[in-house]
C-alpha cells in the first residue's frame, strides 16, 4: 500500500478551550470552511461538555467529533471519569488517548493508556493514540527507544482486526505548544520508525494501512511540508485548530 491509499486525517485537539456556545459557532464555521475537502478526514476533539453542541453542529457536515480521553472501566465509582459507552451514545466517533498532557499532569502511564485504548476500541470508537519523546530524551539520543517502547506497550494485547480503528499521533513533547516544530525530516524519521515497529508487532500490511499523524506546533505555515513526507499521514493540531480559518488552511494543505 502506498501513502496515497492511506487515510489522511487532520484532527483538532481543542484541549481545555471553548464553551458549548463557542463550540457551536466554531464547529459550524470549520464545517463551512472545509466542506467538500474530501482529500482527508476532518475531526475536532472537544472537551466532554462540548460534545453535545459539537455533534449537533457537525450533523450533515464532513466534520467528525472526537473526545480527548476515556476511562477504561465500563461504569462504577470513578468520580470525574467518562466511559466509552457514554461517548458512543453521545455521537463521538474518535477519542484521543495518551496525550502527553494527560501523561505529564494526570499520571497517565503506558499501562493506563493501553487500558483506555482497549476499552475505547472494544466499544467501537476510533482511537488517536498519542506518543512521543520529551526534550531530554531527544537530547540523550534515545528517541527511537522511547517511542518504540511506547508503541509496544500502548498497543499490547490489541488484536490485529482492531488496528483499522487505531491512528497513531507522533507528538514530540518539546514541540507541543512551544512553536518549535519538528523538521519534516525529524517527523518522517520517527513516523517511519513507528510504522516499522507496528509491522513487527502485526504485519507489514497493517503497518502500511495505519494512519500516523504528526502533532506539535503544526500550523497553516508548516503543514504542507510536514504532510508531504511519506510516512506523515495527517496532523493532530492544538492551538491552530481553535481558529477555524487556520485549521481550514491545514485541511487545504492535506488536499494535495
Ligand atoms: P499545538 O499544536 O498547540 O502545539 O498542540 C499539539 C497537540 O498537543 C495536539 O494534540
Amino acid at each position: 500500500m502506498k501513502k496515497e491509499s492511506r487515510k489522511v486525517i487532520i484532527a483538532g485537539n481543542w484541549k481545555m478551550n471553548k464553551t458549548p456556545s463557542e463550540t457551536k459557532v466554531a464547529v459550524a464555521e470549520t464545517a463551512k470552511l472545509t466542506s467538500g475537502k474530501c482529500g482527508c478526514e476532518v475531526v475536532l476533539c472537544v472537551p466532554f461538555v462540548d460534545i453535545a453542541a459539537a455533534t449537533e453542529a457537525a450533523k450533515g457536515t464532513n466534520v467528525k467529533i472526537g473526545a480527548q480521553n476515556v476511562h477504561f472501566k465500563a461504569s462504577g465509582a470513578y468520580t470525574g471519569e467518562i466511559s466509552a459507552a457514554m461517548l458512543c451514545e453521545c455521537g463521538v466517533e474518535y477519542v484521543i488517548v495518551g496525550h502527553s498532557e494527560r501523561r505529564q499532569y494526570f499520571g497517565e502511564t503506558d499501562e493506563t493508556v493501553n487500558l483506555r485504548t482497549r476499552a475505547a476500541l472494544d466499544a467501537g470508537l476510533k482511537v488517536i493514540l498519542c506518543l512521543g519523546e520529551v526534550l531530554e530524551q531527544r537530547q540523550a539520543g534515545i528517541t527511537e527507544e522511547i517511542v518504540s517502547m511506547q508503541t509496544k506497550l500502548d498497543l499490547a494485547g490489541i488484536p490485529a482486526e482492531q488496528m483499522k480503528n487505531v491512528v497513531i499521533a507522533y507528538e514530540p513533547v518539546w514541540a507541543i505548544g512551544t512553536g518549535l516544530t519538528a523538521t519534516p525530516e525529524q517527523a518522517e524519521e520517527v513516523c517511519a520508525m513507528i510504522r516499522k515497529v507496528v509491522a513487527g508487532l502485526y504485519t507489514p500490511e497493517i503497518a502500511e494501512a495505519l494512519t500516523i499523524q504528526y502533532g506539535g506546533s503544526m500550523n497553516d505555515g508548516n503543514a504542507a511540508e510536514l504532510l508531504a513526507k511519506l510516512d506523515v499521514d495527517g496532523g493532530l493540531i492544538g492551538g491552530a485548530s481553535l481558529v477555524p480559518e487556520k485549521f481550514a488552511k491545514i485541511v487545504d494543505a492535506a488536499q494535495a
Side-chain angles (χ1 to χ4, degrees):
M1 191 181 283
K2 296 254 167 55
K3 177 183 166 99
E4 307 84 65
S5 45
R6 282 198 285 273
K7 195 195 281 181
V8 173
I9 303 173
I10 300 297
N13 173 10
W14 280 3
K15 309 191 179 183
M16 194 174 72
N17 291 289
K18 296 194 193 290
T19 63
S21 58
E22 291 166 343
T23 297
K24 205 172 142 186
V25 175
V27 171
E29 190 61 18
T30 302
K32 199 173 90 188
L33 293 171
T34 61
S35 87
K37 304 283 164 66
C38 43
C40 67
E41 191 141 303
V42 180
V43 182
L44 290 175
C45 298
V46 304
F48 290 133
V49 295
D50 294 335
I51 288 171
T55 52
E56 182 59 31
K59 225 176 251 169
T61 76
N62 64 326
V63 175
K64 303 190 185 307
I65 301 304
Q68 298 173 10
N69 195 15
V70 61
H71 194 60
F72 42 86
K73 293 284 187 180
S75 63
Y78 302 99
T79 303
E81 292 287 336
I82 301 287
S83 75
M86 291 171 187
L87 293 179
C88 288
E89 197 170 318
C90 291
V92 163
E93 195 171 324
Y94 282 87
V95 62
I96 294 173
V97 176
H99 191 277
S100 68
E101 286 147 18
R102 300 291 323 168
R103 296 177 190 252
Q104 196 177 347
Y105 305 132
F106 303 101
E108 295 280 342
T109 61
D110 286 310
E111 188 186 358
T112 58
V113 169
N114 173 250
L115 289 171
R116 288 174 199 265
T117 301
R118 290 161 70 160
L121 291 170
D122 286 345
L125 291 165
K126 293 174 183 152
V127 171
I128 300 177
L129 171 62
C130 300
L131 38 83
E133 81 287 0
V134 299
L135 185 62
E136 294 72 24
Q137 293 164 338
R138 176 158 285 266
Q139 287 170 339
I142 55 171
T143 297
E144 183 171 342
E145 286 91 330
I146 293 294
V147 171
S148 153
M149 184 186 71
Q150 288 175 333
T151 305
K152 289 176 187 169
L153 290 173
D154 297 352
L155 291 176
I158 291 167
E161 60 271 20
Q162 286 188 338
M163 283 303 289
K164 62 179 183 307
N165 285 331
V166 173
V167 173
I168 293 185
Y170 166 55
E171 298 207 307
V173 181
W174 48 270
I176 295 177
T178 56
L180 276 179
T181 317
T183 64
E185 292 68 32
Q186 286 171 325
E188 168 62 20
E189 186 184 16
V190 182
C191 289
M193 189 272 292
I194 292 170
R195 201 177 302 286
K196 220 163 104 189
V197 172
V198 171
L201 291 174
Y202 296 94
T203 62
E205 291 73 25
I206 285 175
E208 277 302 309
L210 177 71
T211 296
I212 304 182
Q213 301 172 310
Y214 167 79
S217 300
M218 190 188 264
N219 57 42
D220 45 321
N222 59 28
E225 52 177 3
L226 285 159
L227 294 170
K229 288 293 178 188
L230 195 65
D231 288 286
V232 180
D233 311 310
L236 184 57
I237 296 113
S241 72
L242 296 171
V243 184
E245 291 74 17
K246 288 189 182 174
F247 186 67
K249 282 190 183 146
I250 301 175
V251 171
D252 281 344
Q255 301 305 304

